[in-house]
Amino acid sequence: MSVYPVKTPDRSYNAVVERGILRRAGSFIPAKAAQVFVVTTSDVWDLHGASLAAGLGGKAFHRIIFPGGEERKRLSSVETMAEEMMRLGGDRSCLVIAFGGGIVNDLGGFLAAIFMRGVPVIQIPTTLLSQVDAAVGGKTGANLVSGKNLVGAFHQPLAVLTDPDVLMTLPEREYRAGLFEVIKHGIIRSEPLFGLMRDRKQDVLSRDPEAVEEMISESVRIKCEVVSADEKEAGLRRILNYGHTVGHAIEAETGYQRYLHGEAVALGMKAAAHLGRLTGRISGELAGELNAVVDSYGPLPPANGIQPEQLLRRLAKDKKAIQGAVHWVLPRGIGDVEVTSGVDEASVLRAIRAALA
Ligand code: GLY
């Protein structure tokens, strides 16, 4: 078991990584919570609901089933769920448990952030991607037609409970997509984590319990540390966007259909490594090493038809762009990155071309 504290101006809480923690989830619910609403999908509930129900130890709860899908990550779904909570007698003393992957963590967290102007939420992520990223750090939200996650709120949870055992049922492609966010954490902040992903690929891919727990724990530790230093992404937290600048543009350019988020981030990380090389921050040899580890967890869907110039146009529209300046997170070494906005377009185009080749 590993416990990592998150300290923000409004709230201090723990992210706990523990095999089997679902079966003691009830111990994290404060006695004063009058009603518990578990926001989940039927898929997750069918696989892991019995463990969570047992873990709530007889505490009464209502299930709110979200039908799932990025296309339903919308304000209208939040409204439907809030109405259901009202029908079931929810009031200001209730608590939400967001039990699922990244979409459920974001949407359930947002529901909690605005229901009765804010009720507590416990995040229980069930995909690798959400365990190592989405569920920790208090970012919640929904999509607009104009783009992903364009409405939302920072709403830090009461706790984040991560059970590595639930990953045993995760489909292979989703599991691999989550691994790219783990590699990201290694590149931005942890040489040992990058080394684990480079040197123990077979253990990682075969979901060896000890390797899985180690990579999740190290990722959660890093995320908690970064969020504690910069909750609202005014500075340090931007390093978590490594690979996301180009990754988001690729997702949008392919209509969110071709790539899973982690896969698009993988291509984005390759572009960032090339850009690190082209701007003299890292050697060609190191860029090759970073990209070889990314490639070793492939294959990624082919990039045919994606125009680098089109991606460049989308970059400026990214919500992370500040007054039109695209912010890049570029490597300086393994475990060391730099946030910069002064990168010339010609290098960006070359880096994107190299990443998509
Ligand atoms: N996923 C990036 C962040 O939480 O800041």
Side-chain angles (χ1 to χ4, degrees):
M1 173 177 88
S2 314
V3 180
Y4 301 104
V6 179
K7 288 190 173 51
T8 66
D10 289 342
R11 192 190 290 285
S12 293
Y13 61 95
N14 286 329
V16 185
V17 181
E18 179 184 319
R19 296 184 60 199
I21 200 170
L22 282 188
R23 291 189 292 277
R24 66 179 195 94
S27 61
F28 293 85
I29 297 178
K32 62 177 194 258
Q35 307 105 340
V36 174
F37 294 96
V38 179
V39 174
T40 191
T41 59
S42 44
D43 290 7
V44 167
W45 193 261
D46 288 349
L47 288 167
H48 306 295
S51 301
L52 179 63
L56 294 180
K59 175 102 191 157
F61 65 92
H62 297 289
R63 262 183 320 155
I64 308 276
I65 297 289
F66 168 65
E70 192 70 49
E71 68 286 0
R72 293 196 197 85
K73 190 182 167 185
R74 302 294 302 277
L75 286 171
S76 55
S77 299
V78 178
E79 186 176 353
T80 303
M81 292 193 283
E83 292 286 9
E84 196 172 343
M85 286 168 70
M86 288 305 297
R87 257 196 318 279
L88 293 166
D91 62 24
R92 299 184 76 170
S93 60
C94 75
L95 171 134
V96 171
I97 295 179
F99 182 45
I103 296 175
V104 164
N105 297 141
D106 282 6
L107 215 53
F110 190 43
L111 172 67
I114 62 174
F115 185 74
M116 303 261 164
R117 297 202 180 84
V119 297
V121 61
I122 292 178
Q123 293 284 3
I124 307 186
T126 58
T127 60
L128 179 57
L129 192 91
S130 59
Q131 292 191 344
V132 298
D133 190 14
V136 183
K139 281 188 181 174
T140 73
N143 300 335
L144 294 181
V145 174
S146 306
K148 275 177 78 174
N149 299 325
L150 291 179
V151 283
F154 286 97
H155 187 56
Q156 298 295 342
L158 279 189
V160 184
L161 309 181
T162 294
D163 188 342
D165 283 350
V166 301
L167 300 185
M168 296 305 154
T169 55
L170 198 64
E172 177 71 10
R173 185 175 169 203
E174 260 194 77
Y175 178 71
R176 282 184 190 248
L179 294 174
F180 295 116
E181 292 276 3
V182 177
I183 295 171
K184 177 196 84 176
H185 283 123
I187 296 175
I188 64 172
R189 205 122 166 128
S190 169
E191 199 167 0
L193 180 57
F194 185 81
L196 185 154
M197 300 305 285
R198 181 190 55 216
D199 303 335
R200 296 184 59 194
K201 188 182 140 199
Q202 288 321 320
D203 290 341
V204 168
L205 285 179
S206 65
R207 307 187 202 190
D208 169 78
E210 180 257 327
V212 169
E213 191 169 348
E214 195 176 329
M215 72 180 180
I216 294 173
S217 295
E218 183 64 357
S219 294
V220 171
R221 180 190 70 74
I222 291 165
K223 181 108 198 227
C224 290
E225 198 179 279
V226 170
V227 168
S228 297
D230 173 24
E231 180 194 15
K232 300 277 169 72
E233 203 173 315
L236 183 71
R237 190 166 179 165
R238 290 193 190 142
I239 68 172
L240 299 173
N241 295 323
Y242 184 74
H244 285 59
T245 313
V246 169
H248 280 150
I250 290 174
E251 281 185 284
E253 187 65 16
T254 51
Y256 300 98
Q257 299 295 319
R258 193 185 306 182
Y259 294 96
L260 297 178
H261 175 68
E263 293 170 340
V265 167
L267 286 174
M269 289 195 293
K270 289 179 71 174
H274 284 297
L275 206 45
R277 165 179 65 81
L278 290 166
T279 57
R281 287 176 171 83
I282 58 171
S283 65
E285 191 186 345
L286 182 54
E289 183 180 348
L290 299 181
N291 287 345
V293 173
V294 170
D295 285 337
S296 73
Y297 287 95
L300 297 169
N304 52 301
I306 302 177
Q307 300 300 332
E309 294 77 8
Q310 277 298 112
L311 295 182
L312 206 59
R313 258 171 238 128
R314 285 189 182 270
L315 291 178
K317 288 199 208 146
D318 192 292
K319 76 176 186 300
K320 315 266 185 202
I322 300 170
Q323 294 179 337
V326 182
H327 279 71
W328 292 95
V329 187
L330 299 180
R332 285 194 299 219
I334 298 175
D336 181 20
V337 289
E338 173 189 345
V339 181
T340 179
S341 57
V343 181
D344 66 287
E345 264 188 29
S347 299
V348 172
L349 263 182
R350 281 179 67 193
I352 292 176
R353 282 203 187 96
L356 299 183

